């Protein structure tokens, strides 16, 4: 069984809420992954601070591409990406084709 990040955060949220007392949560992940992990935490309702761990520089290009694709698979980001493409790239292509 493969668990997704969102499932892991939901399960963590349930465990945190089942404990009594004040709750201070730090979400520690790879530094390129903090943005998406914090989006998932907000979606679940988990109040947390995101902390990014260092990643080797040779791994960055593939990691950033993977994060970009993962974030833009979400409906809200996909719509923004398409609108941005239509507003910016399409007119530039049209100008280039006309010339």
């Amino acid at each position: 069984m493969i668990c997704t990040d969102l499932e892991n955060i939901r399960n963590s949220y349930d465990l945190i809420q089942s404990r009594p007392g004040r709750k201070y949560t730090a979400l520690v992940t790879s530094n390129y992954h903090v943005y998406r992990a914090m989006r998932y935490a907000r979606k679940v309702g988990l109040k947390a601070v995101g902390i990014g761990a260092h990643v080797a520089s040779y791994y960055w290009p593939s990691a950033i591409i993977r994060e970009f694709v993962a974030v833009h698979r979400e409906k809200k980001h996909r719509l923004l990406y398409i609108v941005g493409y239509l507003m910016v790239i399409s007119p530039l292509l049209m100008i280039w084709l006309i010339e």
Side-chain angles (χ1 to χ4, degrees), residues 8 18 36 50 54 56 65 68 72 74:
N8 288 334
S18 69
R36 187 162 49 120
H54 177 72
I65 291 168
F68 179 84
H72 285 82
E74 296 177 19

Side-chain angles (χ1 to χ4, degrees), residues 25-78:
T25 308
L27 203 151
V28 180
T29 186
S30 303
N31 53 9
Y32 63 85
H33 185 60
V34 172
Y35 173 74
R36 187 162 49 120
M38 291 302 293
R39 285 181 52 83
Y40 290 157
R42 186 180 315 140
K43 186 183 287 188
V44 170
L46 177 64
K47 293 181 181 177
V49 174
I51 300 172
H54 177 72
V55 172
S57 59
Y58 66 85
Y59 188 69
W60 261 90
S62 63
I64 292 299
I65 291 168
R66 190 178 73 221
E67 285 298 307
F68 179 84
V69 170
V71 167
H72 285 82
R73 284 180 60 198
E74 296 177 19
K75 186 177 181 180
K76 177 183 173 183
H77 278 274
R78 191 178 317 142

Side-chain angles (χ1 to χ4, degrees), residues 72 76-93:
H72 285 82
K76 177 183 173 183
H77 278 274
R78 191 178 317 142
L79 291 173
L80 291 174
Y81 181 77
I82 291 169
V83 168
Y85 176 81
L86 293 174
M87 292 178 64
V88 176
I89 304 298
S90 294
L92 293 175
L93 287 174

